[in-house]
Amino acid sequence: MPQNASKRVFIKTYGCQMNVYDSDRMADALAPHGYMPTQEIGEADLVLLNTCHIREKASEKVFSELGRLKELQGEKRAAGGDMMIGVAGCVAQAEGEEIARRAPVVDLVFGPQAYHRLPDMLARAQSQRHMHPALKKAVIDTDFPEEDKFAHLPAARKEATIARGLTAFLTVQEGCDKFCSFCVVPYTRGAEVSRPVSQVLDEARLLVDAGVKEITLLGQNVNAYHGTDGAGRDIGLGELCYLLAEIPGLERLRYTTSHPRDMDDGLIAAHRDLPLLMPYLHLPVQSGSDRILKAMNRKHTAAEYLSLIERIKAARPDMALSGDFIVGFPGETDQDFEDTLTIIRDTGYASAYSFKYSTRPGTPGANLGDQVPEEIKTERLYRLQELVNQQTTAFHASMVGKTLPVLVERVGRMPGQVGGRSPYLQAVHLEGATDLIGAIRQVEIIGTSTNSLVGRLVRASAA
Ligand code: SAH
Ligand code: SF4
Ligand code: F3S
């Protein structure tokens, strides 16, 4: 049992899946220092906000949350208790000093590349707790260190992993060298770094050993993964998938997010060869207009994207596609937007995420004139989402009558129901007892509801 095991940490996570992964790693790093996770903010001795900087709205949330935390801290102190507050993640990386200045309530500010130093930072912040407020300074760490963060983070804790369930994220690559002109990620996450193959395989084995059946490999540009194996060979994401496929007990593998320019033949071949590699691919294109794609610095055309999709579907005909779209990038005309609707029609998405362009300080896009008025962005977003919703509905409907392998993960929304995921990442609900949870079951799809499928267990005798 660690010392001071009575302390509690509450971590609030914003943003992408990598932040979800990072929050778990932070919890794992703090556990040996006596901090156990809690879901109850009221009982927390330490609150960490793991933040996202991707759009203006995401960033603003941090400051309003800090306002609320200040009140909560005041109440705790009035009752004789206390609470420390830390800001992690991409807002911390982008605005370190600024956060400490605007919100003196914050004890710690640290970016994604400093998580392995969290216990040390915490000790330093704690030693300041009893200082006069005028002398107290937040501990700030937004350096991009030379050392390998992952080698210094403690391994995932087995008991924590068991508590987290049957599916898990595993970061294999972090950072981005693409510099799309709208995007903050290359600045908040730093340059592309891939974890060594042995580290990835070890972590995957540990997860599977703790009962995980499905792993989603994460990276800002996960398909730019280039790890080194024991012999010093360069291993791409495709080859990594073949190696992971050999782990007994690992039943499903996914990866996200991919860049069209890094979808190489090796990865496409892995989709052809590996049944555990799920037929669902998040492959953002952002826009269907070549002019806008160029201004975004995406470095490919709409036609190249479509021919890539063709090659992928030739390898895995049932591949379901998902994408991201930005409407209202500076200079986007009606025709450019129509081109985006066209590429959506031509591709046919199972799902897609879409956003109004948000100017981000420090990105090349921030210096462009010709901003699109807000009401035009709103209208375009609405039209785009209508089209995507139709495609999603049609995709779900096309499953009715099929029997799909469903990884049953949890109790359902209704009593007597359980829920899981199809290979295409659709939520599936079915009648059944909780002993179905934990395995892949054959489920006949008998209907759809707004965002999910309704299924019926296929009995072994009938299968
Ligand atoms: N690495 C991923 C994207 C990470 S950000 C990739 O390259 O696909 C997730 C999505 O947020 C992006 O795909 C983009 O659609 C959106 N996004 C990023 N910056 C944005 C901005 N400034 N305004 C609006 N949407 C943005
Ligand atoms: Fe951002 Fe582009 Fe890198 Fe994706 S590829 S993280 S959108 S800069
Ligand atoms: Fe947001 Fe950082 Fe992820 S900006 S989307 S939390 S990489």
Side-chain angles (χ1 to χ4, degrees):
M1 203 64 175
Q3 281 180 324
N4 305 322
S6 55
K7 290 206 169 170
R8 293 283 180 266
V9 54
F10 177 92
I11 307 182
K12 184 159 179 173
T13 308
Y14 303 84
C16 62
Q17 289 110 325
M18 195 172 285
N19 267 10
V20 175
Y21 175 85
D22 287 344
S23 289
D24 285 348
R25 290 288 74 70
M26 283 191 261
D28 291 337
L30 287 170
H33 298 268
Y35 284 87
M36 288 297 145
T38 176
Q39 308 300 321
E40 278 294 324
I41 195 166
E43 65 176 36
D45 304 285
L46 170 66
V47 174
L48 296 176
L49 304 181
N50 192 5
T51 61
C52 174
H53 197 54
I54 200 82
R55 286 169 290 275
E56 196 180 352
K57 271 199 190 136
S59 278
E60 276 171 1
K61 283 189 192 152
V62 183
F63 290 99
S64 51
E65 185 65 29
L66 286 174
R68 283 193 287 275
L69 288 177
K70 191 177 172 194
E71 278 179 31
L72 182 62
Q73 191 189 55
E75 287 165 22
K76 287 199 132 194
R77 285 184 174 168
D82 205 356
M83 181 176 96
M84 294 179 81
I85 298 171
V87 180
C90 291
V91 180
Q93 186 63 47
E95 298 185 9
E97 299 278 347
E98 171 77 4
I99 296 173
R101 204 178 48 74
R102 265 178 75 180
V105 69
V106 171
D107 299 288
L108 297 156
V109 181
F110 54 104
Q113 302 311 328
Y115 293 162
H116 55 303
R117 292 196 290 259
L118 176 54
D120 178 49
M121 286 185 267
L122 198 56
R124 279 190 283 144
Q126 248 150 1
S127 69
Q128 298 215 12
R129 292 301 285 169
H130 305 293
M131 280 190 186
H132 187 275
L135 297 173
K136 202 186 122 217
K137 271 178 74 186
V139 174
I140 301 179
D141 189 341
T142 52
D143 290 346
F144 288 109
E146 288 297 311
E147 79 254 20
D148 175 1
K149 169 179 74 170
F150 293 104
H152 289 79
L153 273 170
R157 288 183 313 121
K158 188 170 173 181
E159 64 275 30
T161 305
I162 292 170
R164 286 170 196 148
L166 296 163
T167 62
F169 295 129
L170 199 178
T171 292
V172 299
Q173 180 279 337
E174 188 170 358
C176 182
D177 297 343
K178 292 281 186 299
F179 290 93
C180 301
S181 60
F182 50 82
C183 185
V184 292
V185 171
Y187 312 96
T188 64
R189 291 277 171 176
E192 281 176 9
V193 176
S194 294
R195 295 177 69 184
V197 173
S198 61
Q199 242 185 48
V200 173
L201 294 178
D202 285 350
E203 190 165 324
R205 282 190 206 102
L206 190 144
L207 293 171
V208 173
D209 190 37
V212 168
K213 307 273 185 216
E214 172 180 307
I215 293 179
T216 301
L217 307 176
L218 297 182
Q220 263 83 41
N221 267 321
V222 71
N223 56 354
Y225 176 84
H226 276 284
T228 317
D229 73 2
R233 271 194 328 131
D234 182 273
I235 304 284
L237 187 67
E239 216 172 328
L240 184 70
C241 289
Y242 287 94
L243 295 172
L244 286 161
E246 284 169 24
I247 297 178
L250 179 61
E251 302 197 31
R252 288 183 166 186
L253 192 58
R254 304 178 184 275
Y255 60 88
T256 198
T257 296
S258 305
H259 193 290
R261 280 180 58 88
D262 292 319
M263 247 359 259
D264 62 17
D265 291 341
L267 185 54
I268 296 175
H271 277 288
R272 182 196 59 213
D273 297 342
L274 299 174
L276 100 166
L277 193 53
M278 290 292 101
Y280 176 94
L281 177 63
H282 186 62
L283 195 63
V285 66
Q286 315 296 354
S287 167
S289 152
D290 287 344
R291 218 173 57 79
I292 296 295
L293 284 170
K294 188 155 197 282
M296 286 177 163
N297 196 31
R298 293 290 291 183
K299 297 205 173 85
H300 65 77
T301 61
E304 281 162 352
Y305 182 79
L306 289 169
S307 77
L308 173 61
I309 301 282
E310 252 174 51
R311 279 164 50 219
I312 295 166
K313 287 208 163 168
R316 183 80 207 225
D318 67 335
M319 182 69 84
L321 291 156
S322 151
D324 290 343
F325 294 91
I326 296 178
V327 299
F329 186 82
E332 185 186 74
T333 62
D334 285 340
Q335 185 55 52
D336 292 322
F337 176 65
E338 291 302 326
D339 291 348
T340 297
L341 296 181
T342 302
I343 206 169
I344 294 174
R345 284 189 201 99
D346 290 348
T347 304
Y349 287 97
S351 72
Y353 304 87
S354 47
F355 314 95
K356 291 184 201 174
Y357 172 70
S358 166
T359 305
R360 306 310 291 130
T363 61
N367 304 323
L368 297 174
D370 210 2
Q371 294 287 329
V372 175
E374 190 60 25
E375 49 304 349
I376 295 186
K377 284 188 200 171
T378 305
E379 198 231 273
R380 287 180 186 167
L381 187 69
Y382 179 80
R383 284 184 59 203
L384 191 156
Q385 289 182 342
E386 283 274 278
L387 176 58
V388 167
N389 288 345
Q390 283 168 17
Q391 293 193 337
T392 303
T393 306
F395 181 69
H396 286 341
S398 74
M399 298 290 142
V400 176
K402 291 190 175 149
T403 295
L404 301 179
V406 171
L407 175 58
V408 183
E409 290 168 58
R410 56 184 173 274
V411 291
R413 284 181 298 207
M414 305 289 183
Q417 269 193 352
V418 290
R421 294 267 170 195
S422 78
Y424 314 105
L425 210 57
Q426 298 151 297
V428 183
H429 301 282
L430 59 144
E431 302 287 318
T434 51
D435 61 2
L436 294 176
I437 296 172
I440 293 176
R441 313 281 178 179
Q442 294 301 319
V443 175
E444 185 194 348
I445 305 305
I446 54 174
T448 63
S449 67
T450 322
N451 275 315
S452 57
L453 304 178
V454 184
R456 178 166 56 203
L457 187 69
V458 177
R459 299 280 157 204
S461 55

